[in-house]
Amino acid sequence: MLEPVFAPKTGELKNQLSVDELIRWIITYQNFTGVTDKTKVVTTEKFSNPAGWLYRLGPVYAQGQTIFETLMLNLVLVGDKLDVTAVQRPVWEFSTVQDYVTERKKQAKPTNLAELYTAWSRILHIEWVDQQPNIFSAGIPMFASEDTLIEPMTTWRWDKKEKQFRPAVKGLRSLGISMWRNFGQYVKVNDEKTERQPGLVDWLQRLKHQENTVIADDQPLTLASVALVSDGNATSQSPAAEVADDLQMQADVLFDPEIEDHWPVRIEDAVEVTQNVGTDFYHFAADIAQIRDIDSRDFAGKWSAQFYASLDAPFKDWLAQLTGHDNREVKINDWKLQLQSLLRQAVQAVLETSSPRDITGIKDSKDRPFNIFTAQSRLNYNVHRHLNLTKKA
């Protein structure tokens, strides 16, 4: 009988582990450790117990049609920050645990992926009692994630103050923001030095542009992300949510060789238009809340989240059916028309909750009538300006 990889356990059984379950637990724990524990190794300088390495990333990976294809697509062999001559040194190749701890006390960033991906967040001591493991842990110093650019499977954001790249870690406030809304984090759309696409995407682009390419123009490429999200508490960083998302494009769209009409640039423009319309709808909902004399942030936030949820599947479908041969203007206009239709549905849903007070309205700061009709008129003006549908495709 097949058992789940991570089977939930409660009561007396929660402390019983088979060896294979224990190994999976250790790997997961080392990568997603919180910071509730206080035991540390002794060092001359103080340090805070670190979170696990994967816990500190904004993960992205390529999802293939099979496990083999997935593994091959993510086998990043070269990159602008990867030293191909570096000796791969996983943790088990250190002579002793003490040697490894000594190296980690230096907090030097790994120069090879094997060392990076087997990095411990804790030293574990396991004692077997009645054929069950008793586990003791101690924190060890961790190297900084900032500018650790040999990591190919994370998105990055530029820290203007510190002038360095940080992993774009998802937080509780950004749980509802889908990958497509941060398209520019996954695919570089301009030559700004403060923008950086994941090393994995560089690798896929290199494969695509090889003379004997293994990635056909019309091959669908799926970029996916799975992450545990911290509770945001600096003293615990306990997992509060798990998120998974993806976006799919044909290879010649993701890595469009066109210079003047580069698909990624046009897609980023479409995302910007969409988010402008989303902001317009948020302000419309906030106006309705003001008319009703209720909390505008909660009311507008709820309706805005529902609106963006209604956009997720249509936008991802639109993205997936694009090809390198498409007329850019026609396709972008198609999305704008669909966006306009989805907005009308969202506005209608708000209108269906209206009351006599919404129609009567209130006076604005300039003593002018302010009701659901003037709020909708303001919305229509802003959306018309942002969609710019007057141009012929």
Side-chain angles (χ1 to χ4, degrees):
M1 182 178 66
L2 293 177
E3 295 183 356
V5 174
F6 291 100
K9 296 184 178 182
T10 59
E12 295 180 357
L13 295 177
K14 70 178 182 179
N15 289 323
Q16 296 183 16
L17 289 174
S18 62
V19 174
D20 55 343
E21 288 176 314
L22 175 62
I23 292 171
R24 290 195 294 268
W25 181 89
I26 290 174
I27 293 172
T28 304
Y29 178 72
Q30 292 286 17
N31 282 288
F32 295 100
T33 321
V35 296
T36 55
D37 55 328
K38 304 304 177 186
T39 305
K40 310 172 187 176
V41 298
V42 177
T43 59
T44 55
E45 296 183 6
K46 291 183 178 180
F47 72 96
S48 298
N49 270 349
W53 179 248
L54 294 186
Y55 211 8
R56 303 158 70 196
L57 303 181
V60 58
Y61 66 96
Q63 183 172 301
Q65 300 296 315
T66 64
I67 293 179
F68 177 78
E69 186 175 302
T70 297
L71 291 172
M72 291 297 100
L73 288 174
N74 291 284
L75 182 61
V76 181
L77 298 177
V78 294
D80 65 337
K81 297 299 180 180
L82 282 179
D83 182 0
V84 296
T85 64
V87 176
Q88 299 298 313
R89 194 183 189 191
V91 62
W92 55 80
E93 290 192 1
F94 283 81
S95 299
T96 64
V97 172
Q98 187 59 51
D99 285 346
Y100 180 70
V101 173
T102 300
E103 180 66 25
R104 284 290 298 276
K105 286 180 179 180
K106 301 175 185 177
Q107 299 189 47
K109 297 175 183 178
T111 58
N112 61 94
L113 286 179
E115 184 176 347
L116 179 68
Y117 285 161
T118 59
W120 289 350
S121 60
R122 301 292 185 274
I123 287 181
L124 300 181
H125 173 73
I126 302 175
E127 293 183 357
W128 291 87
V129 179
D130 296 329
Q131 297 185 334
Q132 290 300 318
N134 281 0
I135 303 173
F136 304 87
S137 70
I140 55 178
M142 176 71 85
F143 44 85
S145 59
E146 292 81 6
D147 277 343
T148 307
L149 300 178
I150 69 166
E151 169 58 75
M153 303 181 79
T154 187
T155 52
W156 301 95
R157 65 176 179 83
W158 179 250
D159 186 325
K160 295 180 180 179
K161 182 179 179 180
E162 301 296 333
K163 306 297 183 184
Q164 59 188 355
F165 285 103
R166 295 177 179 271
V169 180
K170 186 174 279 292
L172 290 178
R173 290 185 178 181
S174 60
L175 278 182
I177 299 180
S178 300
M179 285 178 65
W180 63 266
R181 290 174 62 186
N182 289 319
F183 183 80
Q185 286 187 354
Y186 297 92
V187 183
K188 191 171 183 179
V189 296
N190 57 52
D191 293 327
E192 293 290 332
K193 293 183 179 179
T194 55
E195 292 189 7
R196 181 176 182 83
Q197 69 184 12
L200 169 70
V201 178
D202 286 337
W203 167 246
L204 296 175
Q205 189 168 12
R206 186 186 294 263
L207 291 179
K208 171 67 177 64
H209 291 159
Q210 281 185 332
E211 184 175 350
N212 297 317
T213 181
V214 296
I215 300 178
D217 285 348
D218 60 353
Q219 179 174 335
L221 287 177
T222 300
L223 297 180
S225 178
V226 178
L228 282 181
V229 179
S230 162
D231 60 7
N233 187 332
T235 61
S236 65
Q237 295 189 39
S238 298
E242 181 180 4
V243 292
D245 199 4
D246 61 58
L247 54 88
Q248 184 183 102
M249 289 164 285
Q250 286 194 10
D252 60 346
V253 172
L254 184 60
F255 305 123
D256 186 4
E258 289 289 335
I259 302 300
E260 295 182 359
D261 224 3
H262 194 49
W263 251 133
V265 174
R266 303 306 305 276
I267 292 170
E268 180 72 357
D269 290 342
V271 171
E272 182 178 356
V273 168
T274 303
Q275 301 210 103
N276 285 337
V277 171
T279 300
D280 295 336
F281 180 71
Y282 178 92
H283 290 317
F284 167 71
D287 287 344
I288 301 302
Q290 182 181 348
I291 294 168
R292 296 179 184 180
D293 194 25
I294 59 177
D295 187 278
S296 61
R297 180 175 296 181
D298 287 345
F299 184 82
K302 183 194 75 170
W303 282 103
S304 177
Q306 292 181 10
F307 176 58
Y308 274 114
S310 74
L311 299 183
D312 281 347
F315 189 89
K316 289 167 71 172
D317 289 344
W318 173 78
L319 201 60
Q321 54 81 36
L322 297 177
T323 73
H325 304 293
D326 287 332
N327 182 303
R328 276 54 166 170
E329 293 297 335
V330 169
K331 287 298 183 180
I332 293 208
N333 218 56
D334 286 346
W335 168 246
K336 288 181 178 179
L337 289 170
Q338 190 174 7
L339 174 60
Q340 186 179 54
S341 175
L342 292 166
L343 175 67
R344 286 172 180 163
Q345 295 174 32
V347 171
Q348 183 60 35
V350 176
L351 295 179
E352 288 175 357
T353 68
S354 62
S355 64
R357 178 186 174 93
D358 296 341
I359 298 172
T360 305
I362 58 176
K363 296 290 186 178
D364 66 11
S365 59
K366 296 183 179 180
D367 202 35
R368 297 174 300 188
F370 184 46
N371 55 36
I372 196 168
F373 303 114
T374 54
Q376 187 176 5
S377 177
R378 180 187 301 178
L379 170 67
N380 290 339
Y381 170 78
N382 289 329
V383 170
H384 177 77
R385 182 166 53 91
H386 286 136
L387 286 180
N388 192 21
L389 283 166
T390 56
K391 293 182 179 180
K392 292 184 178 180

